[in-house]
Amino acid sequence: MSQSVRMRWVPFVLGLYLLASSAAHAQLTAIVAVEPTEKKAGHSILRSALEAGLSQATGQAVKVTTTEDLADVMRATRSAGFDIFIGPPQVAASALQRGYELVGCSQKSDHYVLVGLTQIETVAAMKGKRLYLPQQDSVYTYMARGMLNEAGLSFKDLKAVRHEKYPQAGLSALTLGTTDATVVRAEEWALWATTYPGVAKVLATSRPVPGGFSAVMRKDLPSDVRSKLSQWLSTASASAGLAPIGLRPEAQEYQKVAELGLFTPNALPGVKRITAKDALQLQAQGALVVDTRTEKEYRTKRIRGAVWAAYGEKSLKDVAFNAEQDDFKALESLDRTKPLIFSCNGAECWKSYKAARVAADKGFANVYWMRGGLPEWDAEGLPTEGG
């Protein structure tokens, strides 16, 4: 190779070296989200020490942000706004659905209980009652929304939702008769119930919820960086005031947290919920499977024999949705004389839930809801078409 050719290659090779060097030393970003009811634990965290420890562990600069604005943090999980999220379980649960992997959590899993005055029979009977909760973005409020949602209720169905500072004060409010129900940790309830027997009872109990701080990191970080981050957070983070994040809850625990308040309720009053196999049998007897998804989704892949009746959804994904904000003119084209089975993209999709409820409200006599939708139908190996 001539000297002139070698000289032309020098800038190119140097550029590649600088690019690789820059990538290797790119700044990582982390955010610590402090649960509003756990400020004491948050105040012990030393941001500068956390930055120094993470930077030393990974061999590259790490910028740490701390915040108590959980609404902002939840938005950041949806846009992959940070390389590392450290916060309450609902933050980790959201991030784990969007390209992150679990490092662990700092405390054993908890159960949360919705407790109400003894005269309240069920969660459904909470309609028109008063509920005491800590701050709106707390894990307690997250649990309450999910437990109400599973019973087909929304905060809008309650007489009042009072947000205060401390979760345990909800139990005092029950004693004083200034609220009808509250949400606390199961351990807190057990201690209180022995002191004040007969005042209240458990209406619902959550599944296990990872305790303390949970940490997740981007899956696409280099494997050696992920390994170093995991090692430091699980063993050495106490030097920065953060309890070691070394416990590994079941992935299903985070999945269940993610579903709370996001997935459709388990039941729809006035409408019979059925499985995919039930739907197949009803279809063979003349029932119509009604696909409420978009036309593109319908044409790409659908349940064999399903008819298309799109539900134009603009209202909130909530049991107290406002049907007037939505467009379901397609309902009028359906045959009222036949049983109708409403379906969409599974438990996370609200279109079939809303469509079934609107149909029942408009007097359609035989309305069914296949909550599992096309994903359940597919998983059962039942016939599809389209594409």
Side-chain angles (χ1 to χ4, degrees), residues 289-321:
V289 174
V290 182
D291 193 323
T292 59
R293 302 174 301 155
T294 66
E295 183 176 9
K296 181 180 179 181
E297 290 173 315
Y298 173 78
R299 295 195 180 283
T300 299
K301 185 177 184 179
R302 60 186 178 271
I303 292 169
R304 191 172 70 186
V307 299
W308 178 56
Y311 190 94
E313 184 183 33
K314 291 186 178 179
S315 64
L316 293 175
K317 299 179 188 299
D318 189 282
V319 294
F321 73 98

Side-chain angles (χ1 to χ4, degrees), residues 124-132 148 153-162 177-181:
M126 276 291 299
K127 188 170 184 178
K129 304 295 185 183
R130 301 164 299 172
L131 178 64
Y132 175 102
L148 288 170
L153 293 180
S154 163
F155 284 163
K156 293 180 180 179
D157 292 312
L158 305 181
K159 179 180 180 180
V161 180
R162 178 181 166 194
T178 57
T179 192
D180 299 306

Side-chain angles (χ1 to χ4, degrees), residues 171-336:
L171 294 171
S172 299
L174 282 173
T175 309
L176 296 171
T178 57
T179 192
D180 299 306
T182 190
V183 172
V184 292
R185 286 189 174 94
E187 292 178 358
E188 297 165 342
W189 159 252
L191 290 172
W192 185 86
T194 58
T195 307
Y196 301 96
V199 174
K201 65 182 181 183
V202 173
L203 300 175
T205 302
S206 75
R207 296 178 178 88
V209 178
F213 286 100
S214 291
V216 297
M217 56 189 170
R218 291 174 65 106
K219 286 181 180 178
D220 58 4
L221 290 175
S223 59
D224 63 323
V225 172
R226 300 201 313 275
S227 177
K228 291 172 182 176
L229 282 170
S230 183
Q231 176 69 17
W232 190 86
L233 286 167
S234 62
T235 59
S237 60
S239 62
L242 179 66
I245 300 177
L247 299 177
R248 294 278 297 186
E250 294 289 332
Q252 189 179 29
E253 292 186 17
Y254 288 100
Q255 178 63 33
K256 294 302 180 184
V257 170
E259 292 177 7
L260 290 174
L262 299 177
F263 277 40
T264 51
N266 287 320
L268 176 50
V271 173
K272 185 176 180 181
R273 176 184 159 187
I274 60 173
T275 66
K277 288 183 176 179
D278 293 334
L280 182 66
Q281 291 180 355
L282 286 168
Q283 190 182 39
Q285 296 166 15
L288 287 178
V289 174
V290 182
D291 193 323
T292 59
R293 302 174 301 155
T294 66
E295 183 176 9
K296 181 180 179 181
E297 290 173 315
Y298 173 78
R299 295 195 180 283
T300 299
K301 185 177 184 179
R302 60 186 178 271
I303 292 169
R304 191 172 70 186
V307 299
W308 178 56
Y311 190 94
E313 184 183 33
K314 291 186 178 179
S315 64
L316 293 175
K317 299 179 188 299
D318 189 282
V319 294
F321 73 98
N322 182 358
E324 292 182 0
Q325 296 176 355
D326 299 332
D327 179 3
F328 196 34
K329 298 187 191 74
L331 178 65
E332 303 307 320
S333 66
L334 300 176
D335 189 344
R336 283 176 174 263

Side-chain angles (χ1 to χ4, degrees), residues 349-364:
C349 177
W350 284 75
K351 292 181 177 182
S352 61
Y353 172 91
K354 293 177 178 181
R357 197 160 111 186
V358 170
D361 289 345
K362 287 186 176 294
F364 282 71

